[in-house]
Amino acid sequence: MAGYVLDNASVATMADGYGLIGDAALTVEDGFISWVGKSAECPDKYKNYPTEDLLGRLVTPALIDCHTHIVHGGDRAREFEMRLEGASYEAIARAGGGIVSTVGATRAASEDALLDSALRRVDHLIAEGVATIEIKSGYGLDIDTELRMLRTARVIAGERDVRVRTSFLGAHAVPPEYKDRADAYIDDVCMPALEAAHAQGLADAVDGFCEGIAFSPDQIERVFARAHELGLPVKLHAEQLSNLGGAKLAARYGALSADHLEYLDEDGVAAVREAGSIAVMLPGAFYTLRETQAPPIELFRRHGVAMAVATDCNPGSSPLTSVLLAMNMACTLFRMTPEEALTGVTRAAAQALGLDDTGTIAPGKRAELAIWDVEHPAELSYRIGYNPLYRRIVGDLA
């Protein structure tokens, strides 16, 4: 039996708020947490286990980045310049830039090239205590490249000690060869790619982009209906630039999450709450696009909607590979509290991925832990450009 004890720690269990336990210890057996509580109350059965004195350091669940587009080709630094020169995100997209510009670079990249570039970004997340990453397709927009992206995402989990959850995002944008023929694209490419991804075990969930520059609610519903038939859960990019009712659609399908949500109204918030979906806040995109309408945080609080926080790592609207910075942005730009932000990258992020074995520190949960050189959890959101990670633990003690 492989087991150990982490002693003399401050433990944020994240089971209810911070769930702070001072002068604490936790025990791990065979890769799972077996006990947590006050050091003085640690059961005798663990007295002979290898023990590490953490000298008062903070232990949290390992962090979770529940919304990324981390597998892609190329970059869009020039579009960053264009936006600073006055062009809007929507205008760039309609002119053939935006998502579609990444499609060409991704289609041209080999699987090895996609993997190499993605691993560099993944390593940044791991260095900040991340142990679970969601990765979407959506930059292929043809069957072969969509599947190549998902295969690459699966390989990442073998190359790094990190859990990867994949989302099929074939309904991300209309490629140039289907300009003004979105329904034909859904029929010819998106649906066959979805079915192939499911048949090959490459998709854990199905996502879409419901927006005026992407797909209508009716078109997204066709994709969701097929996902439902295949037994795949759904999630949705919704209400980022306008309110088309995407979140309500996602709620009708019991979505794991609805993401962005800057333009969501109270009826939409109520629908998300009734469905038990998680609202995923993506402040990196809000910041990069210099948006002015923040998501309705107070409505989420009032209706009891759980909020996750993620990087939205992508080459265009959020070239962000720091969960810690995303937490700070969620606080400074959206006025979330540090407790909400940390909940957003632990417990709520796990729920947004349909995971019940991580995101909190409790007996029976996976031993996915982050140890920090801080005195209080609020410091993780407070500092900017500073990484206080002491150690990330996944399973056995290194």
Side-chain angles (χ1 to χ4, degrees), residues 27 33 54 85 104 142 176 183 193 195 212 229 264 282 315 331 336 345 350 375-376 394 397:
T27 65
I33 298 165
L54 294 183
E85 292 164 357
D142 61 32
D183 284 305
E195 290 163 2
E229 291 170 356
L264 189 63
L282 302 170
C331 294
M336 292 176 68
V345 297
E375 294 185 2
H376 191 275
V394 177
L397 194 62

Side-chain angles (χ1 to χ4, degrees), residues 3-20:
Y4 57 89
V5 179
L6 300 176
D7 195 15
N8 190 17
S10 176
V11 176
T13 67
M14 304 311 297
D16 181 16
Y18 286 138
L20 271 175

